Amino acid sequence: MFSRTALLFATTALMASLLPVAHAETQPGGHASGKANAAGAAQTGKKSAGSNETIAPSMLGATAPTDERIEVTGHTYGDGVTRRAFGGGLMTPSDSPKSVSAVTRDYIAKQNPALNPMQLIALLPGANVSDTDPLGMTGGNLSVRGLTESQMGFTLEGFPINDIGNFAVYPQEIVDAENLKTIRLAQGSADLDSPHISSSGGVVDMYMIDPKNKMGGMVDVTYGSFNATRGFLRFDTGKIGSTNLRAYFSYSQGRQDHWRGPGWDNKKHGEMKIVNDWGDGNRVSLAVVGNNIQNNAYPNVSKASWDKWGTGFKNPIGGSGLASGDPVNTVYDANFYTPARAGAVNYYKTRPNPFTNIYASMPSTFKLNDHLVQTETPYFWYGYGNGGGAQYTDMSKFVYGKQTLAGTVNGAGKGMQVLYNPSLTETYRPGATTKLTLTTGINRLMIGYWFEYAKQRQSAPYSFVGADGTPLSQWGDSNNVVLSNGEKAQYRNTLTQTQVHTPFIGDSLSLLHGKLTIDAGLKYSIVKRSGTNYLPDTRNKYVSTNYNQALPTAAVRYKIDSHNQIFVSVATNFRMPQNYALYDAGSFNQRTGLYSTQANPDQKAEISISEEAGWRYQDDLISTSLTYFHYNFTNRLYTQSVQDGISGSFYTTNINAGGMHSDGFDAEIGTRPIHNIRPYVSVEYLHAVTDSNLPAGSGAGADYVRSKGKKAPQAPDWQVGFGLDYDDGTRFANFNLKYVARQYATFMNDQSIPGYVRMNVGLGYRFPKVSIFKSPVLRLNLQNISDNRYLNWIQSPQANAQATTGVFGKTVSGSVPTYKIASPFAALATLSSDF
């Protein structure tokens, strides 16, 4: 199917390229940007040599949208492409005293429009990105310098989007690529005003485009492999009346079949942004994002399963089948295809992942006088959804803590039943960041405060499935099992409340006529997390934790001349323990009196100290950056499967994995057009080492595995990104390549996934104006063109995969890591235009 689809699309693109050429400079629909943003104006930015991009003096507090320091002027196309950005939009001039990389509209607008933000930054230095489907609807994962996305802070329009409980990031829910202006990756540390309690690594800041000054909009439609379809429509109001008030409203919907096994994904997504600016640097904006996604989860695999069956599903039902004892995850048996067999808890329809979320943010800037600027970013975050699962249960023998009870659904249900048991989460998360910036001559002082009060309700009720194996309610919140004591049967039932108070202060001193900038700052994070566990017979019914952490940061940047600059920075970052560490949950072992997930609420926060030293060269044609980095981690937080030394059963708990350190360098280089060609290269070398022996086992079987001195999991030694962009104003093409070296899946380095290369190709053609469509564009995106089948993410790192002898001479049983499989070749064609 793929080859025919690709051939059809390639033929279409080739035919388009033979049509008469329309010169881009004369196409209607090009737009010039408005004035520099308020912060940029207040900071008296300078232009880099030969550049049309404005760079303001750096400051270690630059998370709000009005703090963005890059403003593109001159001609742009309807999709925001300038044809001038370094490296085809994979690099921007930077004045920051620490490592910062970014992608812009020049790159984003030419990719598959369904890609999520993680996929869009895959070529940046150190960004180890995974995906599982061509449209990015099942999410993805990211590690940077060996730190996963749950150790990094993610913001959209200045507000946090990591899950407040486990700090996970769901990139498929965040924002449509058509409305993305910039994605900025700070690989080393968070900014002073970054609103995060989980950024022991760096941050990813995303910014949406502004509404246009003239009424219009944009539309695109996409079709491709695996019956993938997607449509997007945005309407811009233009300036309303004689005011500067303007807005846009957009909606997108996409659907695709699963490429591996049965299942599908369906996503509905809406966005709006309202902006009003007046006077000299005053601006109020409102961004709202709404998302609803319904899909089926792809099953993860073990290494043994992958080695024997590859992508699996080759003989799903009947045929040679899967013999008893084969080293294959149970998800690969026939139960994944049919609910007919007794105990078929792995049927794909019991593995949905429905979720609804709403983000709202109002980043605003007020120029109080010529020297004082106030920035406000109030926000609200709401989410409701679950991750599905199933259990084959005797309705007369429900284990509810120390009791064994009978259960019914509306008075019905006896004997053995397949029950749907998703983990359901509802989150309310209001907050705000306020800061004042005072500029007096060569000095800039910033004082601010971040407050948040989040409430998260997590439950895991059981409910019936229909005769066809479909849950009666995929949300899991109706038709629930009620026990004979009147309680609802659940394996998780908690309420967590998190209060965050974080004052911060930073000062920037500009000396030697702006050549030398010295930044220093401090934020003090005060976090109180309290929780209630409603399950019976838990060890902690009520729990409360408090974390008070001072986070100093300092940096120096020196401009040697108009092209060369060097910088040195040091920053302290931290991450709270996940809320799962507070509670006992899961199945109850009546013999040991313990749950399968055991609480460990007395953990210390994960602390990192990052140090960077770098050099940049930037001129009219070339932009380069080279950064050396060093990290020291203490109290590395880690979720581990442990075997009980008395009963021999396994349980999951959160532990302190001790220390880790890493050294390495990041480098990137990009050019402006050379005969319409813009290359880009990024490289990272990483040497991450575990400094501690990890605890393993408990009770009489407690010991430590000899992990000290081993390489850290999920930390490839080498990564290389390469991008090549061609754009003559009418025709454009791009080629992307990413190499990621071997990654260990265990702290003992006894299991790993091999390195891989992934290549993507894009082709496009800009047509002349057609009726109301000002700049129609046809593009073809070919993903994973070599159809490379590989494991691209370690879903559950373990201490050791093979049995080993511990420090005290005891045998430590191995635990099986699981992995995700990368998406295969896919061809996607998109027709778009502004109007």
Side-chain angles (χ1 to χ4, degrees), residues 49 63 89 146 161 286 350 353 367 434-435 442 452 463 500 509 539 577 582 628 688 718 767 782 788:
T63 302
I161 57 175
L286 172 65
T350 64
N353 187 205
K367 189 173 181 181
T434 300
K435 66 182 182 183
I442 61 174
E452 181 176 292
S463 58
V500 183
L509 188 63
R539 292 173 298 165
L582 302 178
Y628 163 78
W718 288 97
F767 293 90
L782 306 177
N788 188 13

Side-chain angles (χ1 to χ4, degrees), residues 307-323:
D307 290 342
K308 185 173 181 66
W309 295 104
T311 56
F313 306 108
K314 295 179 180 178
N315 300 288
I317 303 175
S320 61
L322 305 179

Side-chain angles (χ1 to χ4, degrees), residues 271-401:
E271 297 174 6
M272 62 170 280
K273 187 173 182 180
I274 303 172
V275 172
N276 189 27
D277 41 38
W278 69 95
D280 183 14
N282 298 294
R283 174 186 172 95
V284 174
S285 65
L286 172 65
V288 180
V289 176
N291 186 81
N292 177 274
I293 191 165
Q294 300 181 27
N295 58 17
N296 306 108
Y298 283 101
N300 300 320
V301 299
S302 66
K303 192 66 160 52
S305 172
W306 171 258
D307 290 342
K308 185 173 181 66
W309 295 104
T311 56
F313 306 108
K314 295 179 180 178
N315 300 288
I317 303 175
S320 61
L322 305 179
S324 176
D326 277 345
V328 180
N329 286 3
T330 55
V331 293
Y332 281 104
D333 63 23
N335 291 342
F336 198 74
Y337 287 81
T338 174
R341 299 167 63 181
V345 297
N346 291 312
Y347 184 46
Y348 79 96
K349 288 187 177 181
T350 64
R351 303 281 173 174
N353 187 205
F355 209 86
T356 295
N357 57 278
I358 298 174
Y359 307 140
S361 174
M362 188 179 288
S364 304
T365 296
F366 306 98
K367 189 173 181 181
L368 305 181
N369 58 41
D370 289 341
H371 303 288
L372 187 62
V373 175
Q374 179 181 352
T375 304
E376 293 279 354
T377 309
Y379 60 87
F380 180 75
W381 197 109
Y382 173 78
Y384 183 79
N386 68 53
Q391 183 171 314
Y392 193 51
T393 303
D394 187 342
M395 297 293 288
S396 66
K397 297 181 180 179
F398 257 97
V399 175
Y400 188 64

Side-chain angles (χ1 to χ4, degrees), residues 105 107-117 119-120 131 133-137 175-178 180 220-225 228-231 254 256 732 734 736 758 760-763 779-784 823-824 826-830:
R105 289 299 306 166
Y107 177 79
I108 296 170
K110 296 179 181 178
Q111 308 308 303
N112 165 13
L115 295 184
N116 63 54
Q119 292 170 301
L120 289 169
D131 69 353
D133 70 276
L135 294 190
M137 287 190 185
V175 64
D176 278 332
E178 291 92 340
L180 261 177
D220 64 50
V221 290
T222 300
Y223 175 77
S225 302
T229 57
R230 181 181 181 273
Q256 66 182 344
F732 60 86
N734 54 77
N736 302 327
R758 186 180 182 91
N760 305 318
V761 168
L763 305 169
R779 68 180 183 271
L780 168 68
N781 294 106
L782 306 177
Q783 299 175 190
N784 193 1
S823 61
L828 298 129
T830 302

Side-chain angles (χ1 to χ4, degrees), residues 425-489:
T425 298
E426 185 172 28
T427 303
Y428 296 88
R429 190 179 181 186
T433 301
T434 300
K435 66 182 182 183
L436 291 168
T437 303
L438 177 65
T439 304
T440 54
I442 61 174
N443 191 73
R444 297 180 68 244
L445 175 67
M446 180 187 70
I447 300 175
Y449 189 85
W450 169 43
F451 171 76
E452 181 176 292
Y453 182 32
K455 180 179 178 181
Q456 192 167 62
R457 187 76 168 87
Q458 294 177 292
S459 57
Y462 296 83
S463 58
F464 270 2
V465 299
D468 64 350
T470 303
L472 297 184
S473 169
Q474 69 169 346
W475 297 95
D477 52 8
S478 61
N479 295 298
N480 298 129
V481 173
V482 177
L483 302 174
S484 53
N485 65 352
E487 299 285 339
K488 186 184 294 185

Side-chain angles (χ1 to χ4, degrees), residues 180-191:
L180 261 177
K181 178 173 64 174
T182 307
I183 310 174
R184 187 176 64 197
L185 169 65
Q187 294 95 336
S189 62
D191 293 324

